[in-house]
Amino acid sequence: MGKIALVTGGTRGIGAAIAAKLKEDGCTVVSSFVGNVEKAEEFSKKTGIKTCKFDAGYFENCQKAVQEIENDLGSNIDILVNNAGITKDRFLHKMSPEEWTAVINTNLNSMFNVTRSVIEKMRLKKFGRIISIGSINGLKGQVGQSNYSTAKAGLIGFSKAVALENASKGITV
């Protein structure tokens, strides 16, 4: 069996393309999703890629899902693609706390939640690849996207710090 990859937000758009390429390259891929079961089933039938429904914005969900994936496949996750993301665009002075929290939870907290759920086993194995999908808006900002830009800026800092912490353990971020 090749490497095992988990792609969050991996049943549509960029995530689906990444999952398909990883499969083409010989990985066993699991794509997570949170909402549209019908689209996820359609994606799975089309690609042969297993899907797993869980909300990566919540730590306990991630721990449980990672454990289930690893038990089901009989091995630890080698490659993690943090791709889960949403937008709820609105000028800050009109943005609700719920819109802010939803984007931060899905786009930023999910990255910690899933990465934290796989990092210890990667360190023990002395191998891991963690890819987090960013945006230019994390560097330059964007009108109506204070929540999204904040999450993507946090992703950049998180990735740099985790890379430094784990490079000596054979993990690239």
Side-chain angles (χ1 to χ4, degrees):
M1 176 181 355
K3 302 289 185 204
I4 294 177
L6 171 60
V7 181
T8 65
T11 62
R12 297 184 296 151
I14 293 169
I18 291 168
K21 179 62 175 154
L22 286 167
K23 181 180 181 203
E24 180 184 310
D25 289 347
C27 293
T28 299
V29 182
V30 177
S31 289
S32 80
F33 70 102
V34 72
N36 194 326
V37 173
E38 221 173 82
K39 288 282 185 192
E41 288 173 353
E42 183 180 304
F43 166 81
S44 190
K45 283 180 186 173
K46 179 182 174 186
T47 63
I49 294 172
K50 178 182 165 92
T51 60
C52 182
K53 182 177 181 176
F54 68 95
D55 188 340
Y58 298 92
F59 187 67
E60 295 78 19
N61 293 352
C62 296
Q63 287 186 308
K64 182 179 176 196
V66 165
Q67 189 61 54
E68 287 174 4
I69 291 165
E70 291 178 341
N71 288 345
D72 185 45
L73 298 176
S75 187
N76 299 335
I77 293 167
D78 302 293
I79 301 166
L80 169 62
V81 180
N82 288 306
N83 177 67
I86 61 170
T87 58
K88 296 207 179 274
D89 297 353
R90 189 175 313 282
F91 280 17
L92 180 64
H93 70 280
K94 294 182 178 184
M95 185 177 292
S96 71
E98 293 79 18
E99 290 166 326
W100 173 270
T101 301
V103 171
I104 296 300
N105 213 30
T106 299
N107 298 21
L108 183 60
N109 293 341
S110 68
M111 188 176 47
F112 166 81
N113 295 337
V114 184
T115 303
R116 180 65 181 86
S117 297
V118 301
I119 197 74
E120 287 183 69
K121 290 177 183 172
M122 286 181 173
R123 289 174 60 89
L124 288 171
K125 195 175 192 177
K126 296 193 182 304
F127 179 87
R129 301 292 179 258
I130 300 169
I131 301 100
S132 299
I133 306 302
S135 169
I136 189 66
N137 293 346
L139 296 172
K140 71 173 191 69
Q142 177 68 322
V143 172
Q145 288 195 332
S146 59
N147 50 7
Y148 183 84
S149 297
T150 297
K152 294 303 181 176
L155 176 147
I156 294 165
F158 177 89
S159 296
K160 289 179 179 185
V162 174
L164 293 169
E165 292 175 5
N166 292 284
S168 68
K169 297 294 185 184
I171 300 167
T172 59
V173 182

